[in-house]
Amino acid sequence: MRIALDINGRSIEAEVEAATLLVAFLREHMGLTGTHVGCDSGQCGACTIHLDGRAVKACLVLAVQADGRRVTTIEGVAAPDGALHPLQEAFRDHHALQCGFCTPGMVMTGLDLAETLETPDEWAIRAGLSGTLCRCTGYTPIVEAIADAVAARRERKA
Amino acid sequence: MTPFAYHRPATVAEAVLLRWREPASAFLAGGQTLIGTLTAGGAHPSALIDVARIPDLAGIRDEGGRLVVGAAATHATIARDAGSLPGLAALARVIGDLQIRNMGTLGGSLANNDPAGEHAAAALGLGADIRTDRRTLPADSFFTGPFRTALDPDELVVAIAYPRPRRAGYAKMRDPASGYPVVGVFAAETADGPRVAVIGAGPRPFRLPAFERALAAGFGPDALAGLTVSAQGLRDSLHASAQYRAHLIAVLARRAVAAAK
Ligand SMILES: Cc1cc2nc3c(=O)[nH]c(=O)nc-3n(C[C@H](O)[C@H](O)[C@H](O)COP(=O)(O)OP(=O)(O)OC[C@H]3O[C@@H](n4cnc5c(N)ncnc54)[C@H](O)[C@@H]3O)c2cc1C
Ligand code: FES
Ligand code: FES
């Protein structure tokens, strides 16, 4: 089937099998390997991307379901000149990654939380991360980095 | 994954016709249950009929005494926009995780009828009507067994009409690994009297008549003091024994009533 979608601000047209998962399309057809595959069954959140601006697990979405829609992957988060997004800066400042396997999914989940949470409440952030697993950090620095981003957004709005 | 065809019909009539013409096909909404099943080799449909963008299945609207929610409304949309109906938004807010709530839909949850599927609690607890392409099914006769409903194979859920309760609340004991409820209880004070619905504990969602009678005397957690539930016929699994589930039902019923707004 022919699909047309926006990926990280670029218009893409491609021919895909209906049974192609969005995560496979992104990694194997588009070469966007920043989106990781941990479990392939919707449990770990490593494959989290944005569909029309909201975090979803790309292993539970078919590429054909993204037809006509807007996809953002970790490769589309930093500015075109390479300047990091403030949430990426916050991850670096707080040492919110060790092996880095979960990090693309963590950043994409954190960006959704940074947009939707009213306050940088620790427990709201922890609940928001319940579908995105990290085996290294113990979460504390990740929660702190996202709290910074939520607070920064509130300041921008105030 | 076994190859399949993909259709994205624009209308309810077109979707139902496609489904009827191809008996081995399946409707696809958010895919948060179905796509995992396909990846695991648990289903081999000949075609998927994507209903997520059909306009008649979208949105939330007020219809006099009822709130009518489109079958393709996501859990996240309901959590955000169904605040005027006590209990429903609170329930949608604690389903699964953030990403699942952004894709998973009300209609998919009800049609799938996972014994731990949470939307069944509000539908049954409020006495909602499930509107399909061909008829209206009361929630009381919709959930027929584990992963089984009163829907015909080619029948499409279009919207759910929830009567507005005086107050309603939901409480769940969350499985920390999956996010699914071990048990969930929805309690409502409705125009037709109290209703208490349980999910996660039995082979299908069910009501608690003894608890409802007790609440008729006064809708508060104290009215349920001392009431217990028999473990007979409840789910017994690795995650929770039938006895523990019976205990949770009584505790969560009091919490749901206490949380009712
Ligand atoms: C990691 C994870 C955690 C989860 N945690 C929870 C949880 O805590 N609580 C909970 O309640 N759920 C949970 N779920 C399930 C989630 O809520 C699903 O979104 C929901 O059960 C199915 O909705 P869907 O739109 O994704 O349906 P789909 O997967 O698209 O479809 C499910 C079934 O319903 C049928 N169907 C879909 N729409 C219609 C319709 N309009 N009419 C007729 N048939 C239809 C399909 O043919 C299919 O058989 C979880 C899922 C995952 C992957
Ligand atoms: S790879 Fe998608 S959730 Fe684990
Ligand atoms: S940094 Fe290793 S899994 Fe999170």
Side-chain angles (χ1 to χ4, degrees):
Chain A
M1 195 190 139
R2 192 124 197 106
I3 58 171
L5 68 171
D6 178 301
I7 302 178
N8 298 332
R10 277 174 58 209
S11 298
I12 303 289
E13 276 194 47
E15 190 66 36
V16 293
E17 298 280 332
T20 306
L21 293 173
L22 181 56
V23 71
F25 175 69
L26 291 170
R27 289 176 55 86
E28 290 155 28
H29 299 228
M30 301 304 301
L32 295 169
T33 52
T35 302
H36 290 172
V37 179
C39 66
D40 224 359
S41 59
Q43 314 292 320
C44 75
C47 65
T48 301
I49 54 122
H50 286 196
L51 193 58
D52 291 337
R54 301 303 311 272
V56 302
K57 293 172 180 171
C59 73
L60 290 184
V61 180
L62 299 173
V64 288
Q65 286 177 287
D67 180 34
R69 302 178 70 174
R70 189 162 51 85
V71 169
T72 312
T73 69
I74 190 68
E75 289 89 348
V77 172
D81 67 0
L84 293 183
H85 183 281
L87 181 62
Q88 292 173 307
E89 293 277 8
F91 265 64
R92 193 170 61 187
D93 294 346
H94 287 278
H95 305 285
L97 59 152
Q98 285 181 27
C99 79
F101 186 80
C102 71
T103 310
M106 280 294 173
V107 169
M108 300 315 289
T109 310
L111 285 172
D112 186 311
L113 292 172
E115 279 307 311
T116 52
L117 284 184
E118 297 292 324
T119 62
D121 172 69
E122 177 188 344
W123 291 101
I125 294 171
R126 286 184 181 270
L129 291 177
S130 70
T132 314
L133 308 182
C134 176
R135 310 237 299 181
C136 304
T137 64
Y139 295 98
T140 301
I142 296 174
V143 173
E144 289 168 353
I146 295 172
D148 273 9
V150 177
R153 189 216 60 206
R154 271 159 51 95
E155 271 167 34
R156 276 201 312 279
K157 281 203 173 160
Chain B
M1 231 188 274
T2 314
F4 48 79
Y6 173 85
H7 307 291
R8 197 161 57 229
T11 65
V12 169
E14 214 183 310
V16 173
L17 186 63
L18 282 164
R19 178 73 186 80
W20 177 78
R21 270 199 202 135
E22 209 165 329
S25 65
F27 292 126
L28 172 71
Q32 302 303 283
T33 294
L34 187 51
I35 292 173
T37 308
L38 298 178
T39 308
H44 306 277
S46 60
L48 293 187
I49 299 156
D50 187 345
V51 298
R53 299 191 212 180
I54 298 178
D56 281 352
L57 270 63
I60 300 182
R61 61 185 189 277
D62 220 321
E63 234 179 51
R66 292 168 163 251
L67 190 76
V68 179
V69 183
T74 61
H75 311 320
T77 300
I78 295 170
R80 196 188 59 219
D81 296 339
S84 72
L85 193 90
L88 184 62
L91 177 149
R93 205 169 291 131
V94 295
I95 291 177
D97 57 51
L98 175 78
Q99 296 96 315
I100 300 299
R101 291 193 296 274
N102 282 339
M103 275 305 275
T105 70
L106 170 60
S109 178
L110 293 179
N112 191 50
N113 195 20
D114 184 316
E118 293 180 82
H119 273 299
L124 195 57
L126 293 166
D129 280 337
I130 289 119
R131 295 182 183 167
T132 76
D133 62 284
R134 62 199 69 171
R135 56 182 168 161
T136 295
L137 291 159
D140 276 312
S141 57
F142 184 80
F143 307 102
T144 52
F147 301 100
R148 286 208 318 273
T149 67
L151 292 170
D152 293 335
D154 62 346
E155 190 167 6
L156 183 70
V157 177
V158 175
I160 319 302
Y162 298 93
R164 289 187 184 280
R166 291 206 189 94
R167 44 193 167 144
Y170 177 66
K172 95 190 242 194
M173 175 60 77
R174 189 187 162 85
D175 178 308
S178 74
Y180 271 101
V182 181
V183 172
V185 179
F186 195 96
E189 188 181 19
T190 76
D192 303 327
R195 292 175 70 104
V196 180
V198 180
I199 48 103
R204 61 187 168 114
F206 59 91
R207 287 170 63 189
L208 288 175
F211 283 53
E212 294 176 355
R213 278 194 298 277
L215 289 169
F219 194 89
D222 295 343
L224 300 179
L227 281 188
T228 57
V229 176
S230 157
Q232 185 94 41
L234 297 188
R235 286 168 83 198
D236 205 31
S237 73
L238 180 67
H239 302 284
S241 66
Q243 284 80 0
Y244 179 52
R245 284 197 161 91
H247 172 74
L248 281 181
I249 292 173
V251 172
L252 294 173
R254 290 196 293 274
R255 284 190 196 165
V257 171
K261 284 197 206 80

